[in-house]
Amino acid sequence: MVGSFLLLRCDVEEPPFSVRPIQGSSLAPDSLRSELLIFDGQQRLTSLHYAFEAPDEPMRYTKYPYRFFIQLDRLVDGKEEELVVSYRADQVGRWEDRGAQFKERVIPLTAVREW
């Protein structure tokens, strides 16, 4: 479960507070103009962005970027709470191609946007 988000509708020209992009996104802060601002939930959205987009930057308090995967064997084994796993980006080369992913029954979360 992700929880809820609180969005604030505002004037594009005069937002009520300084606007910053979600960490890890490629948006320049001076290009941000929106009618809706994230008032509560930015940390959750940042985490989701990191898991699904896999930027090449370390997560907070780590030295390495991480990648997130769905391990289908855990679903079959009834371990839904352990379904999503993370590994350091420099340790997942064996799953770079779809054939290896299929063989080991893993799906990178970055592939979800292709569905």
Side-chain angles (χ1 to χ4, degrees), residues 5 55 66 75 79 90 106:
F5 302 102
Y66 277 74
L75 182 62
K79 299 178 180 177
D90 62 341
V106 297

Side-chain angles (χ1 to χ4, degrees), residues 15-62:
F17 48 83
S18 63
V19 178
R20 63 186 173 110
I22 292 175
Q23 185 177 342
S25 74
S26 59
L27 298 172
D30 60 341
S31 71
L32 300 176
R33 298 170 50 93
S34 179
E35 293 177 6
L36 290 174
L37 300 178
I38 304 166
F39 194 66
D40 181 48
Q42 184 160 359
Q43 194 170 13
R44 278 168 279 162
L45 283 174
T46 298
S47 297
L48 289 168
H49 171 76
Y50 192 92
F52 287 102
E53 293 296 321
D56 283 325
E57 63 182 63
M59 291 188 338
R60 193 173 191 183
Y61 307 119
T62 68

Side-chain angles (χ1 to χ4, degrees), residues 77-96:
D77 294 340
K79 299 178 180 177
E80 292 88 359
E81 68 279 354
E82 301 172 16
L83 186 64
V84 177
V85 296
S86 64
Y87 298 96
R88 280 184 13 195
D90 62 341
Q91 298 175 338
V92 296
R94 68 184 186 272
W95 295 331
E96 284 183 7

Side-chain angles (χ1 to χ4, degrees), residues 6-22:
L6 181 59
L7 303 176
L8 177 66
R9 189 168 303 281
C10 67
D11 182 349
V12 174
E13 300 301 324
E14 295 183 38
F17 48 83
S18 63
V19 178
R20 63 186 173 110
I22 292 175

